[in-house]
Amino acid sequence: MNLSTDIKYLPGVGPARAKLLGEEMGIHTFGDLFDYFPFKHIDRTRIYYIHELSGDMPFVQLKGKILSYEIEGVGRKQRLVAHFTDGHGLVDLVWFNGAKWVRDTYKEEKEYIVFGKPTYFSGSGRFNITHPEIDDANSLKLSTMGMQPYYSVPVKAAKRGLNSRTIEKLTNSLFKQCPETIPETLPQWLVERYMLMSRDSAIRAMHYPQNADALNRATYRLKLEELFYIQLNILKFSSDRQKEVHGIPCPRVGSMFLDFYHHHLPFTLTGAQQRVIKEMHADMQSGRQMNRLLQGDVGSGKTLVALLVMLLAVDNGLQACIMAPTEILAEQHLETFRQFLGDMPLRVELLTGIVKGKRRKALLEDLAAGEVNILVGTHAVIEDNVEFRNLGLVVIDEQHRFGVAQRARLWRKNTVPPHVLVMTATPIPRTLAMTLYGDLDVSVINELPPGRKPITTVHYYDNRHVSLYESIRQQISLGRQAYIVYPLIQESEKLDMKNLEEGYEIVCQVFPDYKISKVHGKMKPADKDAEMQRFANGETQILVATTVIEVGVNVPNASVMVIENAERFGLAQLHQLRGRVGRGADQSYCILVTKYELSAETKKRIQIMTETNDGFEIAEADLKFRGPGDLEGTQQSGTAFELRVANLARDGQVVQQARNMAREIIDADPDQSKPEYALLWQRLSQLGKDQQDWSSIS
Ligand code: ADP
Ligand code: MG
């Protein structure tokens, strides 16, 4: 079968429609149409009798005749009503427009299948079906009698005459046109071992399943295949890397590390911090490249770990760099490092988008000459024109979107690829981690620095702002500082949404005696930083902000975190925001403010926040709550691949299964040389060619 046949050769398509399908829906070939799966099916396997109808039924189909037509109502409420019977009762079919067409098309006394949602009207004592779908009962075609597929059609294509029904006709004609078997893309033994549907049956069942069970099995097969190849790619990548890539040896624990450890460290490391540093050091002296993920809850002290590991690199004559997700954070890291390091003979510099012109040029020269030991920055540090003399370690801090492919790019920064450390707070769903970070070894900091008092989290409704402000005043009078966070910068269409500007005005009025900072994402970076700095220095007592402060900002003196419209934040975000306080020895508070009416789910979210400070627990709850849509953003920019059938938020178990399968294959054929696995490796490299990002890591 030739899946690459141009779609214009499919009966019912032609050049004009082929263009539309191609441009608006990405359907260029027969194969593309096979893969254009419906987003739902409606069970049309059953025909109901009218006397069986009840008020809460979804879509049903009836078989019968139109007895007569009638125009009811006047003016804009005028409608065409057809009295319809199946010999067991009467329903009214209702149209609010197109009366002439309806009457011309559907004749009295002919038998029809009527499909739609019945609604009971006490006025008439009968069920109504508004704008039903009607098919001739004698020339039943397509899937009218089975599970009917519903295809999504983009607005532009819909405006030009395509709808789900047209696509249905096309897929139907496609299956007639191509009775041959669609080629298998998994080895037969694998299909059998895991009792999977064949690819051919699965694709056919995705469009026209015999029943709901067949649809489930088809979906499972395709999800598993999709996730399997992703996992196979990741594991092959890391296994090849282990075989081929030598790491820069870092055997020495030298004067930088030791001097810092013994004379500059302001506190004792926690046991967990010591352990993870040892794990990393073991990697770095193994002669292999370190590729490690450091997980640790907010406030667990990852920054310090990063600094110590960077010092190890420096001790071995190498440069190190750390990448933060925002300029503010990069600057904070710089500050932190410089403070910690004090007068140690070490050059630490900042490279972000705001370092420009002569300064940038000079910095780049010094970097290339090896005069800068540690570079702190944003994405700017991996731009092509940034050259290091001898880059030995790259630390990636809190960048959830920095996936496998992006990391692979770092390798070009040195002839022998640098060691890579990725740091993140725990609340990333495991399935996402398995996909984004599936090639990494994992270290966990499961302990907070001593003396931390658990943050007290409370929930206030909107109407308790007076006592809320009182609490803030109390804390500030004790010398503390407070954050107030709003979800948006500008008033959205929802009128109840407080916005930052308005909030700022109110806070200024309520606290005329305090100095108040305001920070949001649309400010110029320099202004934003200056304002953050004022708060960090204690010049201002309250920081009113959007979520720009979400990740990593460190002001230990701040003890109150107020989150306005907390109902609009996800769990992971709430937890990150809360982590901005509780960083000193004082009792800290997080106050979640919400409107009065909350959905059951939001209530649950808020409740979890008030009950636990544990990032692991929150991560788990988060995965359950997150809608698929929520994750998709991360998915698309995060993984290098677009998922067609699987969904990382919902299909955790399938991800795990796919990973186990891939693991087995890699272990069984590590050199990719055994004939029974050949199809897999071919398919993998084909997928790599089809998807650019993919190929960049394979
Ligand atoms: P995160 O893991 O969220 O990045 P940070 O590295 O910002 O956390 O650390 C949070 C705070 O804890 C910082 O103020 C840091 O100086 C402090 N800290 C880190 N390690 C220790 C420790 N072992 N003992 C006491 N305080 C620590
Ligand atoms: Mg951090």
Side-chain angles (χ1 to χ4, degrees):
M1 167 177 323
N2 197 352
L3 293 175
S4 55
T5 308
D6 193 317
I7 196 73
K8 73 181 173 207
Y9 299 116
L10 185 69
V13 180
R17 197 168 256 184
K19 191 157 177 275
L20 188 60
L21 287 169
E23 280 170 8
E24 301 301 334
M25 303 169 70
I27 301 172
H28 304 279
T29 62
F30 282 17
D32 292 340
L33 185 58
F34 273 126
D35 285 345
Y36 197 85
F37 300 132
F39 65 94
K40 67 168 181 187
H41 287 82
I42 287 181
D43 188 351
R44 300 191 68 169
T45 47
R46 200 178 148 192
I47 289 178
Y48 284 82
Y49 291 122
I50 290 175
H51 69 252
E52 290 180 295
L53 297 184
S54 68
D56 52 4
M57 283 183 165
F59 292 83
V60 296
Q61 56 190 348
L62 308 169
K63 185 176 179 179
K65 292 174 176 172
I66 292 169
L67 294 175
S68 61
Y69 282 106
E70 209 177 314
I71 301 286
E72 290 184 0
V74 286
R76 296 185 60 199
K77 285 202 171 159
Q78 201 178 59
R79 59 201 180 267
L80 174 69
V81 175
H83 304 295
F84 181 88
T85 183
D86 62 355
H88 297 266
L90 265 181
V91 296
D92 288 340
L93 311 179
V94 180
W95 291 267
F96 289 95
N97 48 45
K100 179 166 167 9
W101 182 85
V102 171
R103 293 186 86 144
D104 287 348
T105 313
Y106 305 119
K107 300 293 183 203
E108 280 113 316
E109 296 308 318
K110 244 184 117 174
E111 190 155 63
Y112 291 109
I113 302 278
V114 164
F115 178 70
K117 178 164 174 46
T119 317
Y120 186 72
F121 270 87
S122 51
S124 64
R126 285 196 289 271
F127 281 93
N128 271 3
I129 298 182
T130 306
H131 290 213
E133 270 179 39
I134 300 186
D135 286 291
D136 189 333
N138 298 317
S139 61
L140 264 189
K141 44 189 188 314
L142 304 183
S143 55
T144 341
M145 296 302 292
M147 301 274 286
Q148 189 186 359
Y150 278 72
Y151 297 93
S152 64
V153 174
V155 180
K156 268 192 175 168
K159 278 198 181 131
R160 292 168 59 190
L162 289 185
N163 57 33
S164 176
R165 259 302 161 93
T166 16
I167 306 297
E168 187 187 342
K169 282 181 186 145
L170 294 182
T171 51
N172 203 274
S173 133
L174 178 69
F175 283 116
K176 289 212 182 89
Q177 197 76 11
C178 305
E180 316 90 316
T181 309
I182 300 167
E184 188 48 73
T185 42
L186 291 172
Q188 195 50 37
W189 60 266
L190 201 89
V191 173
E192 279 163 22
R193 170 122 69 98
Y194 290 90
M195 291 183 290
L196 302 175
M197 232 184 203
S198 71
R199 184 172 174 85
D200 180 74
S201 315
I203 288 188
R204 288 176 201 273
M206 285 301 279
H207 296 273
Y208 299 101
Q210 292 296 316
N211 48 45
D213 184 51
L215 180 60
N216 284 340
R217 288 192 56 213
T219 313
Y220 178 75
R221 140 88 210 214
L222 293 170
K223 279 180 179 172
L224 186 65
E225 172 176 351
E226 183 169 66
L227 295 169
F228 166 72
Y229 276 110
I230 289 174
Q231 290 301 329
L232 189 64
N233 197 41
I234 291 172
L235 293 183
K236 173 175 177 288
F237 170 69
S238 68
S239 132
D240 289 355
R241 182 173 64 194
Q242 257 183 30
K243 272 181 287 177
E244 290 158 18
V245 176
H246 298 284
I248 310 170
C250 299
R252 270 164 60 91
V253 181
S255 60
M256 289 296 174
F257 184 92
L258 293 173
D259 181 24
F260 180 76
Y261 191 85
H262 293 297
H263 306 295
H264 292 260
L265 204 55
F267 29 61
T268 341
L269 292 180
T270 62
Q273 282 171 320
Q274 290 175 14
R275 174 173 45 76
V276 300
I277 289 170
K278 278 192 195 124
E279 286 166 359
M280 290 167 201
H281 185 220
D283 284 355
M284 290 168 69
Q285 57 182 339
S286 69
R288 287 185 293 111
Q289 181 198 20
M290 170 167 78
N291 280 282
R292 193 165 278 279
L293 173 67
L294 175 60
Q295 289 196 325
D297 208 345
V298 245
S300 60
K302 295 186 291 292
T303 320
L304 192 59
V305 169
L307 179 59
L308 278 155
V309 179
M310 290 196 289
L311 290 179
L312 277 177
V314 175
D315 271 338
N316 286 275
L318 302 162
Q319 292 168 294
C321 80
I322 178 167
M323 268 163 61
T326 65
E327 286 177 354
I328 292 184
L329 267 178
E331 280 175 42
Q332 272 227 331
H333 281 335
L334 179 79
E335 280 301 309
T336 308
F337 293 158
R338 284 192 172 157
Q339 257 171 32
F340 272 140
L341 293 168
D343 58 2
M344 284 178 61
L346 201 68
R347 202 166 145 201
V348 184
E349 295 290 347
L350 178 77
L351 181 63
T352 63
I354 54 173
V355 181
K356 288 200 181 98
K358 271 195 200 132
R359 252 179 73 211
R360 188 183 186 90
K361 192 158 170 277
L363 174 60
L364 291 182
E365 278 169 16
D366 291 354
L367 202 61
E371 280 162 29
V372 175
N373 304 100
I374 294 178
L375 185 68
V376 183
T378 50
H379 270 76
V381 302
I382 55 159
E383 279 165 23
D384 283 340
N385 61 1
V386 181
E387 277 173 41
F388 293 80
R389 175 152 180 275
N390 196 1
L391 181 62
L393 169 68
V394 180
V395 183
I396 299 157
D397 188 21
E398 302 285 5
Q399 302 204 56
H400 294 184
R401 278 144 209 231
F402 212 75
V404 192
Q406 287 94 327
R407 269 182 279 123
R409 263 172 228 141
L410 295 172
W411 294 19
R412 284 186 238 126
K413 290 283 163 199
N414 201 342
T415 39
V416 182
H419 299 289
V420 177
L421 172 63
V422 177
M423 306 200 297
T424 177
T426 33
I428 330 171
R430 225 172 78 77
T431 45
L432 190 62
M434 240 191 283
T435 310
L436 275 180
Y437 304 130
D439 60 319
L440 301 179
D441 300 314
V442 179
S443 291
V444 179
I445 305 185
N446 52 359
E447 180 186 358
L448 290 180
R452 295 275 171 82
K453 293 197 181 69
I455 302 162
T456 304
T457 303
V458 292
H459 174 205
Y460 278 10
Y461 287 110
D462 253 345
N463 57 1
R464 291 191 57 193
H465 270 98
V466 176
S467 45
L468 168 70
Y469 292 139
E470 202 35 53
S471 313
I472 295 179
R473 190 179 295 279
Q474 225 171 31
Q475 284 295 305
I476 296 179
S477 69
L478 294 172
R480 306 281 97 81
Q481 288 163 284
Y483 295 99
I484 304 179
V485 178
Y486 292 87
L488 278 187
I489 301 174
Q490 236 130 59
E491 193 91 8
S492 82
E493 62 279 8
K494 300 244 172 159
L495 285 171
D496 61 353
M497 175 78 93
K498 269 189 215 66
N499 80 25
L500 178 80
E501 296 296 340
E502 223 180 77
Y504 176 71
E505 290 299 314
I506 293 172
V507 174
C508 289
Q509 277 166 26
V510 176
F511 300 105
D513 37 345
Y514 295 149
K515 294 211 182 70
I516 297 160
S517 290
K518 180 176 72 176
V519 174
H520 56 77
K522 287 193 179 156
M523 284 164 82
K524 284 206 194 98
D527 298 345
K528 194 162 68 181
D529 291 344
E531 211 45 45
M532 277 302 305
Q533 210 48 56
R534 265 159 42 92
F535 184 69
N537 297 342
E539 281 170 49
T540 57
Q541 289 80 42
I542 300 178
L543 176 70
V544 178
T546 56
T547 46
V548 291
I549 61 154
E550 185 185 335
V551 179
V553 171
N554 189 29
V555 181
N557 190 49
S559 63
V560 185
M561 166 60 68
V562 178
I563 304 174
E564 295 276 359
N565 297 102
E567 71 273 10
R568 305 210 181 248
F569 293 91
L571 267 180
Q573 227 180 355
L574 289 173
H575 183 63
Q576 270 289 350
L577 283 168
R578 178 170 61 183
R580 299 309 106 211
V581 296
R583 303 190 144 235
D586 306 293
Q587 175 64 54
S588 290
Y589 303 88
C590 173
I591 304 168
L592 306 172
V593 186
T594 71
K595 62 180 182 179
Y596 221 80
E597 310 81 33
L598 295 177
S599 69
E601 204 195 292
T602 307
K603 277 197 186 129
K604 190 89 196 135
R605 262 202 323 259
I606 303 284
Q607 191 194 344
I608 289 169
M609 286 297 295
T610 57
E611 282 171 0
T612 182
N613 275 305
D614 181 341
F616 283 95
E617 242 176 83
I618 289 175
E620 256 166 51
D622 190 37
L623 179 55
K624 290 201 196 109
F625 281 132
R626 269 181 201 241
D630 225 14
L631 267 184
E632 257 150 34
T634 333
Q635 223 175 71
Q636 264 153 29
S637 46
T639 67
F641 357 84
E642 234 177 272
L643 296 176
R644 302 183 63 105
V645 254
N647 177 311
L648 291 182
R650 276 194 251 118
D651 299 326
Q653 284 191 319
V654 195
V655 177
Q656 184 64 60
Q657 160 115 60
R659 180 146 182 115
N660 297 346
M661 270 167 68
R663 180 82 266 163
E664 257 182 71
I665 307 270
I666 294 282
D667 291 345
D669 187 17
D671 305 321
Q672 294 128 44
S673 59
K674 295 190 182 160
E676 66 266 40
Y677 299 91
L679 180 68
L680 290 171
W681 308 123
Q682 268 164 29
R683 174 86 181 149
L684 198 60
S685 86
Q686 186 55 45
L687 286 170
K689 281 187 202 112
D690 294 348
Q691 300 207 18
Q692 264 235 309
D693 280 345
W694 239 49
S695 63
S696 73
I697 63 161
S698 54

